Amino acid sequence: MGESERELEGTRVAVVGLGTSGQAAARLALEHGGDVYVSDVRDDSEVAARGGELAALGARVDLGRHDVEAIATSPTVVVSPGIPPDSPVLVALRDRGVRWISEPEFAFRFFSSALIAVTGTNGKTTTAALTAHLLEAAGITVGLGGNIGAGLGPPASALALRGHAPDWLVVEVSSFQLADIVAFAPEIGVLTNLAPDHLDRYPSVDAYYRDKARLFDNATERSRWILPLGSPAVDSLVGEAPGRRYYFGATSHGLAGGYLRDGILTLRVEESEEPLIPRAELRLLGDHNVANALAASVAARLAGGSPPELREGLRSFEPLPHRLEPVADRDGVLWVNDSKATNVSAACSAVSSLQRPLVLLLGGHDKGEDLAPLAVAARRGVHVAVAFGEASGRIAEALASSVRVIRVGGGLDHAVRVGRREARRNDVLLLAPACSSFDEFHNYEERGDRFRALAQGDD
C-alpha cells in the first residue's frame, strides 16, 4: 500500500470504545488526517483523561453515551474488543447494516513491516513475547504489541504510529479482534492451540473457533502457518487454507517445524535438523511452554534468525509475569502465580506441568466452561483444592469426587490463607484459577499482583 493510499484526508472515522486500543486507533486516524469521532459509555476519570488527550489533538469525544447516527454515517468504524456483540450500540449498528472493523485490522492498513500474528486459546503472550525476543537476539528489528497487554507491548495501532518501521512486527490477536477483520493477512501466522474459552461471551465453542479461523481468511500461497501437531480441532479449523505449514510438538513425524529430539529443542525448516538447546536450559516451566518455545523458534527462524542466535535467545528469555511465575519459596513451599490461567485448559496445563504435590487455588468469575477436565487433572498431584469467589460452588461440586476441596466464602485473600495453612513442605501453592478475575479484580494482572504480594509477605 502506497503512502498516499494510507492517508485518510478528512475521512470520518468512528472509534467505539475508549480503552487503550481505542485510544491508539483514534490517534492513528488523527495522524493520517482522519475526521475522528470517539465514544464510550463510561465517563470515569481514566476514560476522561484519554478523551481529553484526543480532544486536544482534534477528535470529537463523546463520553457517557454513543451517538449511533455519528457512528453509522462514518465510512470507517473501529470497535474495541471489550465491547460485546450484544451491546446496544452494536445491535443498533447491525440493524442499520453498518459494518465495523477491529483495531488490529485498522492498524494493519498502515503497517509497512512484515507481520507475524499469534493467536490461540492459551500461550499467545508467551509465544509472541518469545518470538520478539528471539528476533532481537538475532539482531532483527522488531515491534511487539497487539492484545499482549501486561505492559509487554502497545496496541497494534500504536505500533503503526512509530516513526521508524522495524523489519518485523509481532502482534498478538484475540478471537474478539479476529472476528472483525477484512484484509488482515500476516506473512507468518502462529496458532498455539485450541480449547473452549470465553463461553460467557460466545454462544458455543464452535462460534469461538470460527472467529479464530478468521486468521486464515486472507491466506495465499506465500503465507506460512505454524500449527500444533496432532490437534484435530486445529486441522479442521485451518481446512484447505493455502500456504506452507510448519508443525510443533513433542515429536516430528517427519514434518517441517519444531520438536524435541532426545530432550533437545530441534528445528527442521528446510532439509536438515537444527538442534537448539536442551529442554533443561529453557527457563520456562511446563510442557506447554516447551511447545510455546518451539512455535516461537520456528517463527523466528522463518523470519531470518540463525540457530546460534536462537540458542542465545532461548537461554536468556525469562518467565513472564502471571504465567507459571515462581514468586516465593517460603518454609519449603513454592508459590507459583498462574493468574493468566483464566480457562479450564490453561489450569489443567498448569497442574500437569508441576511435578511436586499441589495445593491448588481455583475460582473467580465463572465463564461457563465444562469443569470435568479439571476434575480429571486434579487427580494427578493435587492433594487439596481451595475454591473461592463467584465460581466456588460449581468448582467445589465438580472436584469433590476427585480431591479434597475446601470452599471458602471470601475472595483470593481468604483462599491464600487457607491454602498456606494446608500446604506442606515441598508442596507448590499454585494459583491457576480456571476463571476470569472480574468478580473481584479489574483483570488477571491485578489478581496475580495481589497473590505475589501475599506470597512475599506484603499483606
Side-chain angles (χ1 to χ4, degrees):
M1 185 182 292
E3 288 300 321
S4 62
E5 294 173 275
R6 292 191 177 110
E7 296 308 311
L8 296 171
E9 298 177 352
T11 301
R12 293 192 308 279
V13 177
V15 179
V16 182
L18 193 44
T20 55
S21 64
Q23 181 185 29
R27 288 193 59 201
L28 181 59
L30 290 165
E31 178 73 16
H32 289 274
D35 175 12
V36 177
Y37 168 82
V38 60
S39 62
D40 200 304
V41 293
R42 300 171 299 164
D43 58 3
D44 56 74
S45 59
E46 184 177 357
V47 172
R50 292 188 186 125
E53 291 177 12
L54 292 174
L57 294 172
R60 291 171 293 136
V61 179
D62 243 344
L63 299 184
R65 68 167 197 144
H66 296 294
D67 184 336
V68 174
E69 186 64 30
I71 298 168
T73 55
S74 299
T76 300
V77 179
V78 183
V79 174
S80 297
I83 299 180
D86 59 354
S87 64
V89 62
L90 295 190
V91 170
L93 293 176
R94 196 177 293 114
D95 288 346
R96 292 173 178 234
V98 175
R99 292 194 64 185
W100 56 83
I101 60 175
S102 66
E103 180 264 334
E105 167 68 28
F106 183 64
F108 177 76
R109 302 177 181 190
F110 301 92
F111 286 167
S112 54
S113 306
L115 175 62
I116 298 172
V118 181
T119 195
T121 301
N122 300 309
K124 297 185 296 295
T125 296
T126 295
T127 302
L130 180 51
T131 300
H133 178 81
L134 293 175
L135 292 176
E136 289 176 344
I140 298 169
T141 59
V142 60
L144 172 66
N147 188 60
I148 195 162
L152 298 172
S157 293
L159 293 175
L161 279 165
R162 292 182 175 177
H164 178 70
D167 298 322
W168 285 88
L169 293 175
V170 180
V171 174
E172 179 185 323
V173 282
S174 70
S175 60
F176 303 158
Q177 294 169 327
L178 287 169
D180 299 319
I181 65 167
V182 176
F184 187 84
E187 280 75 13
I188 299 173
V190 183
L191 178 59
T192 59
N193 49 59
L194 284 176
D197 198 7
H198 301 301
L199 297 183
D200 51 347
R201 173 156 169 166
Y202 284 99
S204 66
V205 173
D206 286 344
Y208 166 59
Y209 285 0
R210 280 196 297 273
D211 279 353
K212 288 293 189 188
R214 300 211 60 197
L215 177 70
F216 306 95
D217 275 7
N218 301 301
T220 70
E221 293 300 331
R222 299 181 63 184
S223 303
R224 289 171 287 179
W225 306 111
I226 301 172
L227 308 167
L229 182 67
S231 171
V234 169
D235 294 341
S236 175
L237 181 145
V238 179
E240 300 299 320
R244 186 168 181 190
R245 301 181 187 188
Y246 300 81
Y247 291 88
F248 59 93
T251 56
S252 72
H253 293 284
L255 300 173
Y259 46 91
L260 285 176
R261 170 79 74 190
D262 298 326
I264 296 173
L265 278 71
T266 304
L267 302 184
R268 180 189 282 120
V269 296
E270 298 297 340
E271 295 301 319
S272 60
E273 287 191 338
E274 298 171 338
L276 297 178
I277 66 170
R279 173 178 174 171
E281 293 184 12
L282 189 68
R283 300 186 186 186
L284 305 175
L285 297 174
D287 290 345
H288 63 293
N289 274 324
V290 174
N292 294 336
L294 289 168
S297 297
V298 175
R301 185 73 177 93
L302 293 175
S306 70
E309 292 162 337
L310 300 186
R311 291 183 196 114
E312 176 57 33
L314 288 168
R315 289 189 179 105
S316 60
F317 187 72
E318 299 281 354
L320 298 180
H322 316 299
R323 295 159 177 85
L324 277 185
E325 175 195 17
V327 292
D329 197 327
R330 300 176 63 177
D331 302 321
V333 175
L334 179 64
W335 297 51
V336 176
N337 168 24
D338 201 34
S339 183
K340 184 61 175 67
T342 57
N343 57 55
V344 169
S345 175
C348 290
S349 290
V351 169
S352 64
S353 293
L354 298 167
Q355 303 306 311
R356 290 160 59 172
L358 301 178
V359 175
L360 178 61
L361 308 183
L362 294 162
H365 172 67
D366 193 343
K367 297 167 79 173
E369 290 186 68
D370 179 8
L371 298 176
L374 191 57
V376 173
R379 295 190 187 110
R380 302 188 300 269
V382 177
H383 67 79
V384 61
V386 182
F388 67 93
E390 179 186 291
S392 62
R394 202 163 75 90
I395 290 170
E397 182 179 357
L399 270 64
S401 62
S402 299
V403 297
R404 186 163 69 93
V405 182
I406 301 173
R407 181 184 178 188
V408 301
L412 178 64
D413 283 32
H414 190 184
V416 168
R417 285 195 297 272
V418 172
R420 183 178 180 184
R421 183 189 70 213
E422 294 291 325
R424 307 169 299 204
R425 181 170 292 276
N426 199 46
D427 279 1
V428 174
L429 181 57
L430 172 64
L431 173 66
C435 299
S436 69
S437 58
F438 303 131
D439 60 335
E440 187 177 1
F441 301 98
H442 288 101
N443 49 50
Y444 72 84
E445 294 100 332
E446 184 179 297
R447 176 172 62 190
D449 288 341
R450 180 58 184 162
F451 179 76
R452 186 190 298 109
L454 293 169
Q456 296 172 354
D458 298 332
D459 53 347

